[in-house]
Amino acid sequence: MVDTAHPGDGAPRAADAGEDAADPNFMTSLARGLSVIRAFTEREPNLTIADIAKITGLPRAAARRCLLTLMQLGYAGSDGRTFFLKPKILALGYSFLSSAPLATILDPLIEQVSGAVQESCSAAVLDEDDVVYIARAATKRIMSVGLNVGSRLPAYCTSMGRVLLAAMPEADLNAYLARVPLKPFTERTITATDALKRELERVRERGFSLVDQELELGLRSIAVPIRTASGGVVASVNVSAQAARVTCPEMETQFLPRLLRAAEEARVLLVRSRGM
């Protein structure tokens, strides 16, 4: 649940919480502990105190105290030199999933889509500047980075991310574009702000996003929004496939209709479950 499969990124630096720390209600120790947890990734499951300090920006002594506290609570372990997360950490993510109607509703729907098209299907929400996976049905591993529930990817070059960005109010989108560096992951990645804005407008007009090898060469994905009864976008769902196996037109003809049906079913179920 804490996999931060975000190419090139580590945990949020605890030192970046300076403004929040001025709030008398802000718990610096909790913020530090959470930054330590998020430092662990699929690529770096074992970290030393020095590693944690570098990734989070914490003093080594503070990083050590956080790790030892996590060990005492059963959330982390150590082999004597490095530290690692233990299965109990999954309870933190499960608390969200078990209380979130979206994840509960979308999980069987994406399983159905994945089974029908025989490709990986996922659902995600926007969290800060990334998309976070809340449900996933994978038929095979098609990316170099493993994706699971809780994984994070940049919003600007992913199909689900673009669906969610396209639904943002203009002021929020402009703030996002001013804040987030558009790094190229492949030679196809859109890295110019004006070009990305044009693509997001196209997503709004078409009602879906198709991203062709912008996050990783050989990977194509297509996504649609999950809407509430009032039309607000609360999540997105996608199908991903290897570019060598499925063309872009085939993505639209084979996958898009099933995604749209799943999105409509999710909208109806959300209304029934929570009146959203």
Side-chain angles (χ1 to χ4, degrees):
M1 296 298 176
V2 294
D3 178 7
T4 55
H6 190 319
D9 270 5
R13 294 175 65 85
D16 294 339
E19 293 183 6
D20 292 325
D23 184 341
N25 296 313
F26 185 84
M27 292 184 63
T28 302
S29 58
L30 177 59
R32 287 177 168 181
L34 292 174
S35 70
V36 167
I37 290 173
R38 293 185 61 185
F40 294 91
T41 68
E42 181 183 38
R43 290 172 296 173
E44 297 180 297
N46 290 70
L47 296 170
T48 65
I49 292 175
D51 294 331
I52 294 287
K54 181 178 179 181
I55 293 170
T56 62
L58 290 172
R60 287 172 62 109
R64 178 177 177 275
R65 287 196 301 272
C66 288
L67 287 165
L68 293 179
T69 300
L70 289 170
M71 284 183 63
Q72 288 187 32
L73 295 174
Y75 292 113
S78 175
D79 58 13
R81 189 182 73 86
T82 65
F83 294 83
F84 51 86
L85 297 180
K86 297 181 71 174
K88 187 178 179 180
I89 204 77
L90 294 172
L92 301 180
Y94 182 75
S95 297
F96 163 74
L97 292 175
S98 61
S99 63
L102 268 176
T104 304
I105 287 170
L106 293 177
D107 192 59
L109 293 178
I110 67 168
E111 287 283 355
Q112 292 174 16
V113 173
S114 179
V117 302
Q118 289 299 295
E119 300 288 355
S120 297
C121 184
S122 307
V125 296
L126 197 62
D127 180 48
E128 297 178 345
D129 298 333
D130 299 330
V131 291
V132 178
Y133 283 63
I134 60 171
R136 180 162 170 78
T139 57
K140 56 186 74 70
R141 181 161 173 164
I142 59 176
M143 285 187 67
S144 61
V145 176
L147 294 176
N148 302 289
V149 172
S151 292
R152 306 174 72 90
L153 289 174
Y156 66 89
C157 59
T158 55
S159 60
M160 289 192 289
R162 286 187 181 166
V163 165
L164 296 168
L165 291 176
M168 274 185 169
E170 185 175 1
D172 292 343
L173 177 59
N174 288 335
Y176 169 89
L177 293 172
R179 180 175 67 247
V180 176
L182 305 182
K183 302 175 183 177
F185 287 93
T186 75
E187 64 268 21
R188 294 173 176 262
T189 309
I190 295 176
T191 56
T193 300
D194 289 344
L196 181 58
K197 278 187 172 182
R198 289 193 295 271
E199 179 60 25
L200 294 177
E201 180 59 34
R202 189 164 177 254
V203 170
R204 280 190 287 269
E205 292 173 354
R206 301 173 78 191
F208 69 92
S209 172
L210 199 163
V211 171
D212 184 12
Q213 305 180 76
E214 293 190 44
L215 179 66
E216 184 170 305
L217 289 175
L219 177 70
R220 291 187 174 124
S221 66
I222 186 168
V224 301
I226 300 295
R227 297 182 182 275
T228 63
S230 62
V233 175
V234 292
S236 58
V237 292
N238 84 340
V239 169
S240 301
Q242 292 178 344
R245 191 171 60 248
V246 186
T247 67
C248 288
E250 287 171 341
M251 300 275 295
E252 293 187 37
T253 58
Q254 295 179 22
F255 304 155
L256 182 58
R258 292 188 180 275
L259 283 173
L260 290 172
R261 285 198 293 272
E264 175 57 21
E265 187 172 350
R267 185 190 68 81
V268 173
L269 291 172
L270 281 171
V271 171
R272 291 176 180 172
S273 66
R274 295 287 289 272
M276 293 178 70

